[in-house]
Amino acid sequence: MDVPERLRGRPRRRGPLALLVAVALVFTLAIAVQPAAAEPVLVSQGRPAAAAAVDGDPGTRWSSQFTDAQWIHVDLGATTAISRVVLRWEAAYAKGYRIEVSPDGQQWSTLHTTTTGAGGTETLDVSGSGRHVRMLGTQRATAWGYSLWEFQIYSAGTGGPPDGDVLLSYGKQGTASTSQHDGTCWQCTPDKAFDRDPASRWATNPTGGWTDPGWIAVDLGARAEIHRVVLQWDPAFATAYEIQVSDDGTQWSSLHRTTNGTGFKETLTVSGAGRHVRMYGTQRNGPYGYSLWEFQVWGTGGAPTTPPPLPPDPTGGRLVFSDEFNGAAGTAPDPAKWVPETGTGPNNELEYYTNNKNAAHDGAGNLVLEARREVTPGSACPPDPLSGSTTCQYTSARLNTYGKFAFTYGRVEARIKVSGTQGLWPAFWMLGADYFSAGRPWPYCGEIDIMEHVGKEPNTTYSTLHAPAYFGANGHGSPYALPGGGDFANDFHTFAVDWNSKGMVFTVDGSVIHTVDKDTLERTRGPWVYDHPFFLILNNAVGGDWPGPPDATTRFPQRMSVDYVKVWQ
């Protein structure tokens, strides 16, 4: 949203992470590095109906009168191929019911019928098409009525456009009621919603633009048949809006109208024609304006510009990067693979990173990143609580592969024995290469934390994603605790992520700790910004906002030992 983001310059390393529950879709490791089967598309959420059953909120529900022949009806806005219906029943469920479709809301045909409904969550694979879908209850299972937490309708689509449809809006000219370009939202102009870049956005201007209505429109270059609109909202979203079309950009007709906009990613099946398409917002969800990361229009005709192809998914187990750290004792990391970052650290860290003075092979097959209590004359750090000095009192090491190795997708794995004790913060992570190559600030470049450990929590590590819509304490991740309360600093452990265009799977010693499905992420947290090259980082930080500073119990030196780092594609 259009508020100060306080994030420019060097990346990362924040406060305590939100410990989020992993998304329900569980990948196998094989699926995570191969193209995954596409899922049908949810088309009912936010559509006109008994709103509590189509709002995506599992804590709200629709309930009927306490008689039979009660129903709930959803208008999808256009004729749609239906392949799945999900009923999430409350205790008052239907033993007998029909799933019906209709072109007009008057004449109904049956897709599914049963007299043995089981309640709970029922997932029904069906086949048919229509604009209107309803559940008609014919026999109650209890003395009460019928009640649904969620009534979900899925189209027969594959998560992409219908056959023959193309992205019509890419690179096209956009106009808007207002737009923002200042220190809190840099270049948030209309074209940013049509660039297929999930980390750039359009936003209305705080000067005169944080009002209703607000709109953004795109000129497709020629008249087109419009079949689908995808809105990827920033937190400043519309609860009420219309999708409109026009031949001249002046006279508009409505394809879709809602007063129950949900934010995040909304995929709308529509039917209409025109050269111009706009989102016309009439009610904001909060005090800010309107903002979209992406506004995509799919269909046929127009004058489409073909966007650059997305990277291909990995197809096998080809080893593309490996360092097993077999150098002689005391030798520096391989300069063909690793670049030392020097100077003070971000996030109120207390160390001074040296030029490989604190990184060396141990002669036993490991690279050691050693944190020491050691003054760096002439440096400046946040005050050290133990000495009171603002001269950096600690040294350590931070290495990356930027300019040597960057990649998109694959399996990334390292075997690491972390440092321990209060105030230490070892990590193995990745940062979008455009942070350096294009000067894109964090978190817009994206960050993938494969392993983070803070000394004050000896038995826990964290795996987390950071992006413009979820970062810092709101990053999307999960912790992992060693069984029996063991200390990660006592032994080596294997940390990995399997990453492709559909999602990621994070593991510790082969145990899955966090799964990320791209589609679910976009519909519940914000844009997926991981379809571009990333580079590797190893560092052993001292102090910082999350771990806190060393104290009287902290022991130095502290060593982070790395047995190997490998990447397969």
Side-chain angles (χ1 to χ4, degrees):
M1 59 187 170
D2 313 314
V3 293
E5 291 171 281
R6 297 176 287 116
L7 291 167
R8 296 293 183 270
R10 292 190 72 176
R12 86 176 234 123
R13 324 306 293 164
R14 321 115 300 246
L17 299 178
L19 309 183
L20 302 173
V21 178
V23 294
L25 179 62
V26 178
F27 292 161
T28 65
L29 297 183
I31 290 175
V33 294
Q34 297 176 12
E39 285 291 311
V41 178
L42 178 63
V43 293
S44 55
Q45 190 159 305
R47 298 299 306 171
V54 295
D55 61 0
D57 183 346
T60 60
R61 62 188 173 97
W62 160 78
S63 295
S64 76
Q65 296 180 357
F66 297 174
T67 63
D68 288 324
Q70 299 294 305
W71 50 266
I72 179 173
H73 157 212
V74 180
D75 179 356
L76 300 178
T79 300
T80 305
I82 309 302
S83 63
R84 181 178 298 172
V85 174
V86 177
L87 305 171
R88 303 187 190 279
W89 294 101
E90 199 254 350
Y93 69 93
K95 184 177 180 181
Y97 63 88
R98 296 197 298 269
I99 303 299
E100 300 179 327
V101 293
S102 169
D104 55 8
Q106 302 295 322
Q107 302 298 316
W108 297 91
S109 58
T110 299
L111 295 185
H112 174 87
T113 185
T114 185
T115 57
T116 57
T121 297
E122 294 186 273
T123 300
L124 312 173
D125 291 324
V126 297
S127 180
S129 64
R131 171 172 173 161
H132 304 264
V133 184
R134 75 177 179 181
M135 186 289 299
L136 174 64
T138 57
Q139 183 180 357
R140 291 166 292 146
T142 71
W144 314 107
Y146 302 96
S147 184
L148 282 165
W149 296 108
E150 286 291 300
F151 181 29
Q152 296 179 328
I153 315 300
Y154 289 80
S155 82
T158 61
D163 290 343
D165 279 5
V166 298
L167 179 59
L168 302 172
S169 53
Y170 171 72
K172 296 305 180 185
Q173 180 178 350
T175 55
S177 52
T178 66
S179 62
Q180 191 172 359
H181 177 48
D182 55 32
T184 61
C185 195
W186 183 66
Q187 291 187 344
C188 291
T189 47
D191 59 299
K192 301 304 180 186
F194 308 112
D195 61 1
R196 209 191 63 178
D197 181 347
S200 67
R201 64 186 172 104
W202 159 76
T204 51
N205 198 302
T207 303
W210 289 2
T211 60
D212 298 318
W215 54 267
I216 179 173
V218 60
D219 180 353
L220 301 178
R223 201 168 195 269
E225 294 290 329
I226 313 302
H227 300 146
R228 178 174 298 181
V229 172
V230 179
L231 304 173
Q232 181 76 63
W233 292 100
D234 174 74
F237 68 92
T239 56
Y241 65 90
E242 294 185 31
I243 300 299
Q244 302 173 330
V245 293
S246 172
D247 286 326
D248 58 8
T250 302
Q251 301 297 317
W252 298 91
S253 59
S254 182
L255 295 184
H256 172 88
R257 181 184 292 111
T258 185
T259 57
N260 297 294
T262 59
F264 298 115
K265 183 179 182 179
E266 295 184 273
T267 301
L268 312 173
T269 301
V270 298
S271 180
R275 171 171 174 161
H276 304 264
V277 183
R278 77 174 176 179
M279 185 290 299
Y280 188 79
T282 55
Q283 184 177 346
R284 294 161 292 139
N285 74 308
Y288 304 107
Y290 296 98
S291 183
L292 283 164
W293 298 104
E294 284 288 299
F295 180 12
Q296 296 184 348
V297 179
W298 294 82
T300 58
T305 300
T306 302
L310 292 171
D313 278 320
T315 57
R318 181 172 59 96
L319 187 66
V320 295
F321 179 89
S322 177
D323 199 336
E324 301 201 28
F325 305 116
N326 290 323
T331 58
D334 186 347
K337 297 177 180 178
W338 299 98
V339 177
E341 293 188 43
T342 61
T344 55
N347 299 296
N348 292 311
E349 294 171 20
L350 299 176
E351 79 290 319
Y352 189 94
Y353 288 122
T354 66
N355 187 3
N356 284 335
K357 178 182 175 183
N358 294 63
H361 296 100
D362 66 0
N366 304 304
L367 177 69
V368 176
L369 282 64
E370 187 171 83
R372 306 169 187 151
R373 185 160 191 181
E374 181 178 47
V375 177
T376 302
S379 63
C381 281
D384 170 39
L386 294 178
S387 66
S389 176
T390 56
T391 299
C392 298
Q393 300 291 299
Y394 309 93
T395 59
S396 193
R398 174 164 161 160
L399 309 172
N400 72 56
T401 64
Y402 179 75
K404 309 295 182 180
F405 175 71
F407 65 106
T408 308
Y409 309 147
R411 177 177 175 84
V412 188
E413 180 179 300
R415 187 169 180 265
I416 299 172
K417 181 179 179 182
V418 301
S419 56
T421 202
Q422 169 61 35
L424 271 291
W425 191 359
F428 173 47
W429 51 295
M430 299 190 290
L431 196 66
D434 53 358
Y435 176 73
F436 286 126
S437 66
R440 170 163 280 187
W442 184 91
Y444 298 91
C445 57
E447 178 179 334
I448 303 170
D449 293 331
I450 303 169
M451 181 280 294
E452 293 184 285
H453 178 267
V454 289
K456 64 185 178 184
E457 300 178 47
N459 73 322
T460 304
T461 58
Y462 296 83
S463 299
T464 313
L465 296 181
H466 300 270
Y470 45 94
F471 58 86
N474 292 314
H476 182 55
S478 293
Y480 175 75
L482 283 175
D487 188 339
F488 270 99
N490 288 340
D491 205 350
F492 284 89
H493 296 274
T494 302
F495 305 94
V497 62
D498 290 276
W499 163 37
N500 71 4
S501 65
K502 306 298 189 299
M504 300 185 200
V505 176
F506 294 85
T507 59
V508 177
D509 296 331
S511 296
V512 174
I513 66 166
H514 185 54
T515 61
V516 182
D517 170 56
K518 175 182 177 179
D519 182 63
T520 303
L521 181 77
E522 290 176 332
R523 289 188 288 104
T524 59
R525 299 304 301 278
W528 164 277
V529 298
Y530 311 102
D531 292 332
H532 64 103
F534 279 66
F535 61 91
L536 304 168
I537 305 173
L538 291 164
N539 72 295
N540 193 15
V542 180
D545 298 324
W546 186 12
D551 61 20
T553 68
T554 306
R555 303 176 304 280
F556 285 99
Q558 283 294 322
R559 296 178 174 178
M560 173 184 177
S561 298
V562 186
D563 180 19
Y564 64 81
V565 176
K566 297 182 179 182
V567 179
W568 293 268
Q569 287 187 314

